[in-house]
Amino acid sequence: MLAFIRGRLLSGLLTVFGVVVLVFFLARLTGSPIDLFFPEGATQAQLDSFSRAYGLDRPLIEQFWVFLTNAVRGDFGMSVWQQRPALQAALSEMPATLLLTLIAMTVSVLIAVILGTVAAAFRFRVVDRVITIVTLITGSIPAFWFALVSILVFAIVYRLVPTSGAGNWQSWILPVATVSLGPIGVLTQVTRGAMIEVLSSGFVRNARARGFGSTRILYRHALRNAALPIIAVAGDIAASMVNGAVIVSVVFAFPGIGKAIIGAVLARDFPVLQACIVVVGVAVILLNLIIDLIYVVVDPRVRLS
């Protein structure tokens, strides 16, 4: 088990390191934060002082080495615009993103398991065809398009929910729906396929022969044995939901790590951008590790391999 965890952590950390390297160098291709921070009449002394304070006067490779050595100690520097530690700025935005991901993942799994199970129970009938068609469509809809259309219809035309922000529970409806829409379509099809395979197995036929009811067979026997592929796919989707929060932040002006990343990119606030990428990467690593551990607990064959 310890070797399994070490392997997952090592591969995840290497991935985060590669992403951080790319972000460090690619972000600096957009220019210097000096161009945005100072007005045109700034003196050269002011510009030089700012460059020295943030290490922008050093060669790029030296800047990268300083960043790595400090990042290992948890020091990502000071935010250019917020004037507070960059890691603090990133961590302060993470709870909203994690809460949004948790709610959206819960909604997606519950709806998908119910729809997929019903479709499998009535496979090749009208109910199955309707659920399949609808979920295939929802799984194919781009999240940003759905977000814009939902704002137009539900927030502007019918005024049922706010257009942006996170001031009350109604303002969470459209962001959660946007993040959940695609996963519901994918997970429903995965659940349907897994349930059809399990319902065709011998132990289900034996359960029916012994007089067990259809509901008990579906939810106590079949669904438990169909859980492995559902957990595997749900884990991958949960990790992608963290990244999907960027779209929600932009369209709905929703607080979270996505909003911080977009703001840091537009302001060329390199310390905050780098800290946000590391925080998101670590969150995805831990989320994947949790899903892997759940999979190991559910499937004893993985523990023995």
Side-chain angles (χ1 to χ4, degrees):
M1 179 67 75
L2 292 177
F4 176 84
I5 295 175
R6 283 197 300 267
R8 288 291 190 270
L9 288 175
L10 180 59
S11 62
L13 290 175
L14 288 175
T15 302
V16 172
F17 176 77
V19 172
V20 169
V21 171
L22 288 175
V23 169
F24 181 91
F25 289 102
L26 292 178
R28 282 154 177 77
L29 295 178
T30 63
S32 172
I34 294 177
D35 301 332
L36 301 177
F37 195 82
F38 287 96
E40 292 185 3
T43 65
Q44 188 61 42
Q46 291 176 316
L47 300 181
D48 293 341
S49 176
F50 182 88
S51 297
R52 285 193 301 270
Y54 290 94
L56 300 175
D57 58 332
R58 303 176 181 178
L60 190 58
I61 297 300
E62 185 178 348
Q63 292 183 41
F64 179 65
W65 176 249
V66 172
F67 161 71
L68 282 183
T69 54
N70 291 335
V72 171
R73 300 193 298 268
D75 181 11
F76 291 85
M78 293 291 293
S79 169
V80 176
W81 291 89
Q82 302 180 41
Q83 291 301 302
R84 61 171 174 166
L87 185 59
Q88 179 184 342
L91 291 176
S92 65
E93 301 289 348
M94 200 60 189
T97 298
L98 293 178
L99 181 59
L100 174 64
T101 302
L102 177 61
I103 296 174
M105 193 71 246
T106 303
V107 170
S108 300
V109 171
L110 289 177
I111 294 177
V113 167
I114 293 173
L115 292 179
T117 302
V118 172
F122 296 94
R123 58 186 179 277
F124 309 129
R125 301 181 189 177
V126 176
V127 174
D128 179 27
R129 291 191 178 95
V130 171
I131 292 176
T132 300
I133 292 173
V134 171
T135 53
L136 285 175
I137 292 174
T138 57
S140 305
I141 295 176
F144 71 89
W145 181 86
F146 176 80
L148 294 174
V149 172
S150 62
I151 290 176
L152 176 63
V153 175
F154 299 107
I156 297 177
V157 175
Y158 293 104
R159 299 182 182 276
L160 298 175
V161 292
T163 58
S164 60
N168 50 46
W169 67 268
Q170 292 95 335
S171 60
W172 286 70
I173 294 177
L174 293 184
V176 169
T178 300
V179 178
S180 304
L181 187 67
I184 288 175
V186 175
L187 286 174
T188 299
Q189 295 305 309
V190 173
T191 303
R192 176 186 179 275
M195 288 292 289
I196 287 177
E197 182 178 354
V198 172
L199 290 173
S200 303
S201 60
F203 78 91
V204 172
R205 291 195 295 269
N206 291 337
R208 288 198 178 102
R210 293 169 61 185
F212 291 133
S214 299
T215 303
R216 180 177 179 180
I217 292 174
L218 283 175
Y219 291 100
R220 290 194 60 182
H221 298 282
L223 186 58
R224 181 182 301 176
N225 288 273
L228 294 179
I230 299 173
I231 292 174
V233 176
D236 292 336
I237 290 176
S240 66
M241 279 183 171
V242 177
N243 299 324
V246 175
I247 296 176
V248 170
S249 297
V250 174
V251 178
F252 296 104
F254 195 83
I257 200 73
K259 183 178 179 181
I261 291 175
I262 297 299
V265 170
L266 295 178
R268 298 176 188 168
D269 198 341
F270 300 147
V272 172
L273 176 60
Q274 290 154 185
C276 287
I277 296 300
V278 171
V279 169
V280 171
V282 171
V284 171
I285 290 173
L286 295 178
L287 185 58
N288 282 328
L289 181 60
I290 292 172
I291 297 299
D292 288 337
L293 292 177
I294 293 174
Y295 198 92
V296 167
V297 172
V298 173
D299 189 359
R301 295 170 298 180
V302 177
R303 292 201 298 269
L304 296 176
S305 60

PDB file of all heavy atoms in Angstrom, residues 224-261:
ATOM      1  N   ARG A 224     -23.586  -2.388  -6.516  1.00  0.00           N
ATOM      2  CA  ARG A 224     -22.354  -2.571  -5.756  1.00  0.00           C
ATOM      3  C   ARG A 224     -21.254  -3.185  -6.619  1.00  0.00           C
ATOM      4  O   ARG A 224     -20.089  -2.808  -6.531  1.00  0.00           O
ATOM      5  CB  ARG A 224     -22.622  -3.464  -4.550  1.00  0.00           C
ATOM      6  CG  ARG A 224     -21.407  -3.703  -3.673  1.00  0.00           C
ATOM      7  CD  ARG A 224     -21.744  -4.635  -2.535  1.00  0.00           C
ATOM      8  NE  ARG A 224     -22.813  -4.091  -1.700  1.00  0.00           N
ATOM      9  CZ  ARG A 224     -23.355  -4.749  -0.672  1.00  0.00           C
ATOM     10  NH1 ARG A 224     -22.944  -5.976  -0.374  1.00  0.00           N
ATOM     11  NH2 ARG A 224     -24.310  -4.186   0.044  1.00  0.00           N
ATOM     12  N   ASN A 225     -21.609  -4.147  -7.462  1.00  0.00           N
ATOM     13  CA  ASN A 225     -20.623  -4.790  -8.322  1.00  0.00           C
ATOM     14  C   ASN A 225     -20.281  -3.953  -9.552  1.00  0.00           C
ATOM     15  O   ASN A 225     -19.250  -4.187 -10.186  1.00  0.00           O
ATOM     16  CB  ASN A 225     -21.142  -6.160  -8.770  1.00  0.00           C
ATOM     17  CG  ASN A 225     -21.134  -7.185  -7.656  1.00  0.00           C
ATOM     18  OD1 ASN A 225     -20.149  -7.863  -7.413  1.00  0.00           O
ATOM     19  ND2 ASN A 225     -22.262  -7.284  -6.949  1.00  0.00           N
ATOM     20  N   ALA A 226     -21.143  -2.982  -9.879  1.00  0.00           N
ATOM     21  CA  ALA A 226     -20.865  -2.103 -11.017  1.00  0.00           C
ATOM     22  C   ALA A 226     -20.135  -0.833 -10.604  1.00  0.00           C
ATOM     23  O   ALA A 226     -19.882   0.039 -11.433  1.00  0.00           O
ATOM     24  CB  ALA A 226     -22.176  -1.731 -11.724  1.00  0.00           C
ATOM     25  N   ALA A 227     -19.776  -0.734  -9.320  1.00  0.00           N
ATOM     26  CA  ALA A 227     -19.227   0.515  -8.797  1.00  0.00           C
ATOM     27  C   ALA A 227     -17.816   0.806  -9.281  1.00  0.00           C
ATOM     28  O   ALA A 227     -17.408   1.967  -9.355  1.00  0.00           O
ATOM     29  CB  ALA A 227     -19.248   0.487  -7.266  1.00  0.00           C
ATOM     30  N   LEU A 228     -17.026  -0.224  -9.619  1.00  0.00           N
ATOM     31  CA  LEU A 228     -15.611  -0.008  -9.944  1.00  0.00           C
ATOM     32  C   LEU A 228     -15.408   0.923 -11.137  1.00  0.00           C
ATOM     33  O   LEU A 228     -14.664   1.903 -11.030  1.00  0.00           O
ATOM     34  CB  LEU A 228     -14.923  -1.357 -10.161  1.00  0.00           C
ATOM     35  CG  LEU A 228     -14.822  -2.248  -8.925  1.00  0.00           C
ATOM     36  CD1 LEU A 228     -14.150  -3.572  -9.274  1.00  0.00           C
ATOM     37  CD2 LEU A 228     -14.054  -1.539  -7.818  1.00  0.00           C
ATOM     38  N   PRO A 229     -16.007   0.641 -12.298  1.00  0.00           N
ATOM     39  CA  PRO A 229     -15.807   1.590 -13.411  1.00  0.00           C
ATOM     40  C   PRO A 229     -16.391   2.965 -13.133  1.00  0.00           C
ATOM     41  O   PRO A 229     -15.860   3.976 -13.605  1.00  0.00           O
ATOM     42  CB  PRO A 229     -16.515   0.907 -14.587  1.00  0.00           C
ATOM     43  CG  PRO A 229     -17.453  -0.063 -13.973  1.00  0.00           C
ATOM     44  CD  PRO A 229     -16.802  -0.514 -12.706  1.00  0.00           C
ATOM     45  N   ILE A 230     -17.471   3.025 -12.352  1.00  0.00           N
ATOM     46  CA  ILE A 230     -18.061   4.321 -12.021  1.00  0.00           C
ATOM     47  C   ILE A 230     -17.098   5.138 -11.166  1.00  0.00           C
ATOM     48  O   ILE A 230     -16.891   6.331 -11.403  1.00  0.00           O
ATOM     49  CB  ILE A 230     -19.401   4.117 -11.281  1.00  0.00           C
ATOM     50  CG1 ILE A 230     -20.384   3.367 -12.167  1.00  0.00           C
ATOM     51  CG2 ILE A 230     -19.984   5.460 -10.864  1.00  0.00           C
ATOM     52  CD1 ILE A 230     -21.674   2.986 -11.461  1.00  0.00           C
ATOM     53  N   ILE A 231     -16.480   4.502 -10.178  1.00  0.00           N
ATOM     54  CA  ILE A 231     -15.512   5.196  -9.316  1.00  0.00           C
ATOM     55  C   ILE A 231     -14.310   5.672 -10.122  1.00  0.00           C
ATOM     56  O   ILE A 231     -13.830   6.798  -9.946  1.00  0.00           O
ATOM     57  CB  ILE A 231     -15.061   4.268  -8.173  1.00  0.00           C
ATOM     58  CG1 ILE A 231     -16.220   4.004  -7.218  1.00  0.00           C
ATOM     59  CG2 ILE A 231     -13.887   4.875  -7.407  1.00  0.00           C
ATOM     60  CD1 ILE A 231     -15.905   2.982  -6.149  1.00  0.00           C
ATOM     61  N   ALA A 232     -13.826   4.817 -11.027  1.00  0.00           N
ATOM     62  CA  ALA A 232     -12.647   5.179 -11.818  1.00  0.00           C
ATOM     63  C   ALA A 232     -12.914   6.409 -12.677  1.00  0.00           C
ATOM     64  O   ALA A 232     -12.112   7.350 -12.715  1.00  0.00           O
ATOM     65  CB  ALA A 232     -12.225   3.999 -12.680  1.00  0.00           C
ATOM     66  N   VAL A 233     -14.039   6.403 -13.380  1.00  0.00           N
ATOM     67  CA  VAL A 233     -14.369   7.536 -14.260  1.00  0.00           C
ATOM     68  C   VAL A 233     -14.705   8.769 -13.433  1.00  0.00           C
ATOM     69  O   VAL A 233     -14.313   9.893 -13.782  1.00  0.00           O
ATOM     70  CB  VAL A 233     -15.544   7.161 -15.188  1.00  0.00           C
ATOM     71  CG1 VAL A 233     -15.960   8.360 -16.030  1.00  0.00           C
ATOM     72  CG2 VAL A 233     -15.159   6.004 -16.089  1.00  0.00           C
ATOM     73  N   ALA A 234     -15.423   8.587 -12.318  1.00  0.00           N
ATOM     74  CA  ALA A 234     -15.768   9.728 -11.462  1.00  0.00           C
ATOM     75  C   ALA A 234     -14.517  10.396 -10.911  1.00  0.00           C
ATOM     76  O   ALA A 234     -14.486  11.620 -10.755  1.00  0.00           O
ATOM     77  CB  ALA A 234     -16.664   9.268 -10.316  1.00  0.00           C
ATOM     78  N   GLY A 235     -13.483   9.622 -10.625  1.00  0.00           N
ATOM     79  CA  GLY A 235     -12.240  10.215 -10.142  1.00  0.00           C
ATOM     80  C   GLY A 235     -11.583  11.116 -11.163  1.00  0.00           C
ATOM     81  O   GLY A 235     -11.137  12.225 -10.843  1.00  0.00           O
ATOM     82  N   ASP A 236     -11.528  10.653 -12.412  1.00  0.00           N
ATOM     83  CA  ASP A 236     -10.957  11.494 -13.473  1.00  0.00           C
ATOM     84  C   ASP A 236     -11.787  12.756 -13.680  1.00  0.00           C
ATOM     85  O   ASP A 236     -11.247  13.851 -13.887  1.00  0.00           O
ATOM     86  CB  ASP A 236     -10.877  10.702 -14.778  1.00  0.00           C
ATOM     87  CG  ASP A 236      -9.862   9.573 -14.702  1.00  0.00           C
ATOM     88  OD1 ASP A 236      -8.945   9.670 -13.872  1.00  0.00           O
ATOM     89  OD2 ASP A 236      -9.994   8.591 -15.464  1.00  0.00           O
ATOM     90  N   ILE A 237     -13.105  12.608 -13.613  1.00  0.00           N
ATOM     91  CA  ILE A 237     -13.985  13.757 -13.818  1.00  0.00           C
ATOM     92  C   ILE A 237     -13.843  14.753 -12.673  1.00  0.00           C
ATOM     93  O   ILE A 237     -13.838  15.968 -12.886  1.00  0.00           O
ATOM     94  CB  ILE A 237     -15.442  13.290 -13.963  1.00  0.00           C
ATOM     95  CG1 ILE A 237     -15.618  12.546 -15.290  1.00  0.00           C
ATOM     96  CG2 ILE A 237     -16.401  14.465 -13.886  1.00  0.00           C
ATOM     97  CD1 ILE A 237     -16.991  11.956 -15.490  1.00  0.00           C
ATOM     98  N   ALA A 238     -13.728  14.257 -11.446  1.00  0.00           N
ATOM     99  CA  ALA A 238     -13.597  15.152 -10.288  1.00  0.00           C
ATOM    100  C   ALA A 238     -12.352  16.017 -10.404  1.00  0.00           C
ATOM    101  O   ALA A 238     -12.365  17.212 -10.072  1.00  0.00           O
ATOM    102  CB  ALA A 238     -13.566  14.333  -9.005  1.00  0.00           C
ATOM    103  N   ALA A 239     -11.251  15.419 -10.871  1.00  0.00           N
ATOM    104  CA  ALA A 239     -10.026  16.200 -11.046  1.00  0.00           C
ATOM    105  C   ALA A 239     -10.204  17.276 -12.113  1.00  0.00           C
ATOM    106  O   ALA A 239      -9.723  18.407 -11.968  1.00  0.00           O
ATOM    107  CB  ALA A 239      -8.877  15.269 -11.417  1.00  0.00           C
ATOM    108  N   SER A 240     -10.910  16.935 -13.192  1.00  0.00           N
ATOM    109  CA  SER A 240     -11.122  17.921 -14.262  1.00  0.00           C
ATOM    110  C   SER A 240     -12.082  19.019 -13.818  1.00  0.00           C
ATOM    111  O   SER A 240     -12.066  20.122 -14.371  1.00  0.00           O
ATOM    112  CB  SER A 240     -11.658  17.228 -15.517  1.00  0.00           C
ATOM    113  OG  SER A 240     -12.957  16.696 -15.293  1.00  0.00           O
ATOM    114  N   MET A 241     -12.951  18.726 -12.843  1.00  0.00           N
ATOM    115  CA  MET A 241     -13.884  19.746 -12.363  1.00  0.00           C
ATOM    116  C   MET A 241     -13.153  20.913 -11.712  1.00  0.00           C
ATOM    117  O   MET A 241     -13.605  22.060 -11.786  1.00  0.00           O
ATOM    118  CB  MET A 241     -14.856  19.137 -11.354  1.00  0.00           C
ATOM    119  CG  MET A 241     -16.020  18.394 -11.978  1.00  0.00           C
ATOM    120  SD  MET A 241     -17.161  17.787 -10.716  1.00  0.00           S
ATOM    121  CE  MET A 241     -18.509  17.221 -11.745  1.00  0.00           C
ATOM    122  N   VAL A 242     -12.028  20.624 -11.066  1.00  0.00           N
ATOM    123  CA  VAL A 242     -11.229  21.700 -10.466  1.00  0.00           C
ATOM    124  C   VAL A 242     -10.764  22.658 -11.558  1.00  0.00           C
ATOM    125  O   VAL A 242     -10.807  23.878 -11.401  1.00  0.00           O
ATOM    126  CB  VAL A 242     -10.035  21.123  -9.692  1.00  0.00           C
ATOM    127  CG1 VAL A 242      -9.170  22.244  -9.121  1.00  0.00           C
ATOM    128  CG2 VAL A 242     -10.517  20.203  -8.577  1.00  0.00           C
ATOM    129  N   ASN A 243     -10.325  22.103 -12.683  1.00  0.00           N
ATOM    130  CA  ASN A 243      -9.911  22.951 -13.801  1.00  0.00           C
ATOM    131  C   ASN A 243     -11.102  23.642 -14.447  1.00  0.00           C
ATOM    132  O   ASN A 243     -10.984  24.767 -14.954  1.00  0.00           O
ATOM    133  CB  ASN A 243      -9.177  22.105 -14.847  1.00  0.00           C
ATOM    134  CG  ASN A 243      -7.925  21.465 -14.301  1.00  0.00           C
ATOM    135  OD1 ASN A 243      -7.228  22.056 -13.490  1.00  0.00           O
ATOM    136  ND2 ASN A 243      -7.638  20.244 -14.731  1.00  0.00           N
ATOM    137  N   GLY A 244     -12.273  22.969 -14.451  1.00  0.00           N
ATOM    138  CA  GLY A 244     -13.465  23.581 -15.027  1.00  0.00           C
ATOM    139  C   GLY A 244     -13.944  24.790 -14.255  1.00  0.00           C
ATOM    140  O   GLY A 244     -14.741  25.585 -14.770  1.00  0.00           O
ATOM    141  N   ALA A 245     -13.453  24.971 -13.039  1.00  0.00           N
ATOM    142  CA  ALA A 245     -13.834  26.140 -12.257  1.00  0.00           C
ATOM    143  C   ALA A 245     -13.348  27.437 -12.888  1.00  0.00           C
ATOM    144  O   ALA A 245     -13.882  28.511 -12.592  1.00  0.00           O
ATOM    145  CB  ALA A 245     -13.280  26.028 -10.840  1.00  0.00           C
ATOM    146  N   VAL A 246     -12.352  27.366 -13.758  1.00  0.00           N
ATOM    147  CA  VAL A 246     -11.872  28.571 -14.450  1.00  0.00           C
ATOM    148  C   VAL A 246     -12.976  29.157 -15.313  1.00  0.00           C
ATOM    149  O   VAL A 246     -13.217  30.373 -15.314  1.00  0.00           O
ATOM    150  CB  VAL A 246     -10.637  28.245 -15.301  1.00  0.00           C
ATOM    151  CG1 VAL A 246     -10.206  29.460 -16.104  1.00  0.00           C
ATOM    152  CG2 VAL A 246      -9.499  27.757 -14.420  1.00  0.00           C
ATOM    153  N   ILE A 247     -13.696  28.297 -16.061  1.00  0.00           N
ATOM    154  CA  ILE A 247     -14.790  28.761 -16.905  1.00  0.00           C
ATOM    155  C   ILE A 247     -15.878  29.399 -16.055  1.00  0.00           C
ATOM    156  O   ILE A 247     -16.416  30.466 -16.381  1.00  0.00           O
ATOM    157  CB  ILE A 247     -15.356  27.585 -17.722  1.00  0.00           C
ATOM    158  CG1 ILE A 247     -14.296  27.053 -18.683  1.00  0.00           C
ATOM    159  CG2 ILE A 247     -16.604  28.006 -18.488  1.00  0.00           C
ATOM    160  CD1 ILE A 247     -14.729  25.823 -19.456  1.00  0.00           C
ATOM    161  N   VAL A 248     -16.224  28.749 -14.951  1.00  0.00           N
ATOM    162  CA  VAL A 248     -17.251  29.271 -14.066  1.00  0.00           C
ATOM    163  C   VAL A 248     -16.837  30.636 -13.511  1.00  0.00           C
ATOM    164  O   VAL A 248     -17.654  31.554 -13.423  1.00  0.00           O
ATOM    165  CB  VAL A 248     -17.514  28.276 -12.915  1.00  0.00           C
ATOM    166  CG1 VAL A 248     -18.394  28.904 -11.849  1.00  0.00           C
ATOM    167  CG2 VAL A 248     -18.159  27.012 -13.446  1.00  0.00           C
ATOM    168  N   SER A 249     -15.568  30.777 -13.152  1.00  0.00           N
ATOM    169  CA  SER A 249     -15.102  32.043 -12.590  1.00  0.00           C
ATOM    170  C   SER A 249     -15.212  33.177 -13.595  1.00  0.00           C
ATOM    171  O   SER A 249     -15.580  34.298 -13.238  1.00  0.00           O
ATOM    172  CB  SER A 249     -13.648  31.899 -12.120  1.00  0.00           C
ATOM    173  OG  SER A 249     -13.543  30.956 -11.077  1.00  0.00           O
ATOM    174  N   VAL A 250     -14.892  32.884 -14.845  1.00  0.00           N
ATOM    175  CA  VAL A 250     -14.917  33.923 -15.871  1.00  0.00           C
ATOM    176  C   VAL A 250     -16.346  34.320 -16.214  1.00  0.00           C
ATOM    177  O   VAL A 250     -16.703  35.501 -16.230  1.00  0.00           O
ATOM    178  CB  VAL A 250     -14.167  33.448 -17.129  1.00  0.00           C
ATOM    179  CG1 VAL A 250     -14.323  34.457 -18.260  1.00  0.00           C
ATOM    180  CG2 VAL A 250     -12.698  33.223 -16.820  1.00  0.00           C
ATOM    181  N   VAL A 251     -17.207  33.344 -16.477  1.00  0.00           N
ATOM    182  CA  VAL A 251     -18.557  33.633 -16.963  1.00  0.00           C
ATOM    183  C   VAL A 251     -19.453  34.165 -15.849  1.00  0.00           C
ATOM    184  O   VAL A 251     -20.202  35.123 -16.047  1.00  0.00           O
ATOM    185  CB  VAL A 251     -19.183  32.370 -17.590  1.00  0.00           C
ATOM    186  CG1 VAL A 251     -20.609  32.655 -18.058  1.00  0.00           C
ATOM    187  CG2 VAL A 251     -18.337  31.892 -18.762  1.00  0.00           C
ATOM    188  N   PHE A 252     -19.382  33.559 -14.672  1.00  0.00           N
ATOM    189  CA  PHE A 252     -20.284  33.926 -13.583  1.00  0.00           C
ATOM    190  C   PHE A 252     -19.644  34.862 -12.559  1.00  0.00           C
ATOM    191  O   PHE A 252     -20.285  35.167 -11.547  1.00  0.00           O
ATOM    192  CB  PHE A 252     -20.758  32.662 -12.854  1.00  0.00           C
ATOM    193  CG  PHE A 252     -21.583  31.742 -13.702  1.00  0.00           C
ATOM    194  CD1 PHE A 252     -21.032  30.570 -14.204  1.00  0.00           C
ATOM    195  CD2 PHE A 252     -22.898  32.036 -14.014  1.00  0.00           C
ATOM    196  CE1 PHE A 252     -21.777  29.712 -14.992  1.00  0.00           C
ATOM    197  CE2 PHE A 252     -23.657  31.187 -14.794  1.00  0.00           C
ATOM    198  CZ  PHE A 252     -23.100  30.015 -15.290  1.00  0.00           C
ATOM    199  N   ALA A 253     -18.410  35.307 -12.793  1.00  0.00           N
ATOM    200  CA  ALA A 253     -17.690  36.115 -11.800  1.00  0.00           C
ATOM    201  C   ALA A 253     -17.755  35.444 -10.438  1.00  0.00           C
ATOM    202  O   ALA A 253     -17.997  36.078  -9.409  1.00  0.00           O
ATOM    203  CB  ALA A 253     -18.263  37.527 -11.740  1.00  0.00           C
ATOM    204  N   PHE A 254     -17.521  34.152 -10.442  1.00  0.00           N
ATOM    205  CA  PHE A 254     -17.654  33.323  -9.242  1.00  0.00           C
ATOM    206  C   PHE A 254     -16.323  33.277  -8.516  1.00  0.00           C
ATOM    207  O   PHE A 254     -15.271  33.086  -9.133  1.00  0.00           O
ATOM    208  CB  PHE A 254     -18.083  31.909  -9.645  1.00  0.00           C
ATOM    209  CG  PHE A 254     -18.588  31.068  -8.509  1.00  0.00           C
ATOM    210  CD1 PHE A 254     -19.901  31.168  -8.086  1.00  0.00           C
ATOM    211  CD2 PHE A 254     -17.747  30.171  -7.866  1.00  0.00           C
ATOM    212  CE1 PHE A 254     -20.373  30.387  -7.045  1.00  0.00           C
ATOM    213  CE2 PHE A 254     -18.203  29.391  -6.823  1.00  0.00           C
ATOM    214  CZ  PHE A 254     -19.527  29.498  -6.411  1.00  0.00           C
ATOM    215  N   PRO A 255     -16.303  33.446  -7.201  1.00  0.00           N
ATOM    216  CA  PRO A 255     -15.026  33.409  -6.476  1.00  0.00           C
ATOM    217  C   PRO A 255     -14.411  32.024  -6.528  1.00  0.00           C
ATOM    218  O   PRO A 255     -15.105  31.008  -6.593  1.00  0.00           O
ATOM    219  CB  PRO A 255     -15.431  33.780  -5.045  1.00  0.00           C
ATOM    220  CG  PRO A 255     -16.873  33.413  -4.942  1.00  0.00           C
ATOM    221  CD  PRO A 255     -17.446  33.666  -6.300  1.00  0.00           C
ATOM    222  N   GLY A 256     -13.098  31.978  -6.500  1.00  0.00           N
ATOM    223  CA  GLY A 256     -12.402  30.699  -6.536  1.00  0.00           C
ATOM    224  C   GLY A 256     -11.048  30.831  -7.181  1.00  0.00           C
ATOM    225  O   GLY A 256     -10.614  31.924  -7.584  1.00  0.00           O
ATOM    226  N   ILE A 257     -10.366  29.703  -7.291  1.00  0.00           N
ATOM    227  CA  ILE A 257      -9.007  29.705  -7.812  1.00  0.00           C
ATOM    228  C   ILE A 257      -8.972  30.103  -9.278  1.00  0.00           C
ATOM    229  O   ILE A 257      -7.996  30.680  -9.749  1.00  0.00           O
ATOM    230  CB  ILE A 257      -8.363  28.310  -7.597  1.00  0.00           C
ATOM    231  CG1 ILE A 257      -6.834  28.411  -7.674  1.00  0.00           C
ATOM    232  CG2 ILE A 257      -8.914  27.303  -8.586  1.00  0.00           C
ATOM    233  CD1 ILE A 257      -6.212  29.056  -6.487  1.00  0.00           C
ATOM    234  N   GLY A 258     -10.041  29.802 -10.011  1.00  0.00           N
ATOM    235  CA  GLY A 258     -10.089  30.192 -11.421  1.00  0.00           C
ATOM    236  C   GLY A 258     -10.062  31.698 -11.585  1.00  0.00           C
ATOM    237  O   GLY A 258      -9.370  32.230 -12.461  1.00  0.00           O
ATOM    238  N   LYS A 259     -10.817  32.390 -10.746  1.00  0.00           N
ATOM    239  CA  LYS A 259     -10.824  33.851 -10.787  1.00  0.00           C
ATOM    240  C   LYS A 259      -9.456  34.406 -10.455  1.00  0.00           C
ATOM    241  O   LYS A 259      -8.995  35.382 -11.068  1.00  0.00           O
ATOM    242  CB  LYS A 259     -11.876  34.376  -9.806  1.00  0.00           C
ATOM    243  CG  LYS A 259     -12.041  35.880  -9.814  1.00  0.00           C
ATOM    244  CD  LYS A 259     -13.127  36.306  -8.844  1.00  0.00           C
ATOM    245  CE  LYS A 259     -13.290  37.818  -8.827  1.00  0.00           C
ATOM    246  NZ  LYS A 259     -14.337  38.243  -7.851  1.00  0.00           N
ATOM    247  N   ALA A 260      -8.780  33.789  -9.491  1.00  0.00           N
ATOM    248  CA  ALA A 260      -7.436  34.246  -9.122  1.00  0.00           C
ATOM    249  C   ALA A 260      -6.449  34.031 -10.258  1.00  0.00           C
ATOM    250  O   ALA A 260      -5.582  34.881 -10.507  1.00  0.00           O
ATOM    251  CB  ALA A 260      -6.967  33.507  -7.866  1.00  0.00           C
ATOM    252  N   ILE A 261      -6.559  32.900 -10.961  1.00  0.00           N
ATOM    253  CA  ILE A 261      -5.649  32.620 -12.079  1.00  0.00           C
ATOM    254  C   ILE A 261      -5.859  33.619 -13.207  1.00  0.00           C
ATOM    255  O   ILE A 261      -4.894  34.180 -13.755  1.00  0.00           O
ATOM    256  CB  ILE A 261      -5.852  31.183 -12.581  1.00  0.00           C
ATOM    257  CG1 ILE A 261      -5.352  30.184 -11.536  1.00  0.00           C
ATOM    258  CG2 ILE A 261      -5.134  30.959 -13.904  1.00  0.00           C
ATOM    259  CD1 ILE A 261      -5.617  28.739 -11.886  1.00  0.00           C
TER     260      ILE A 261
END
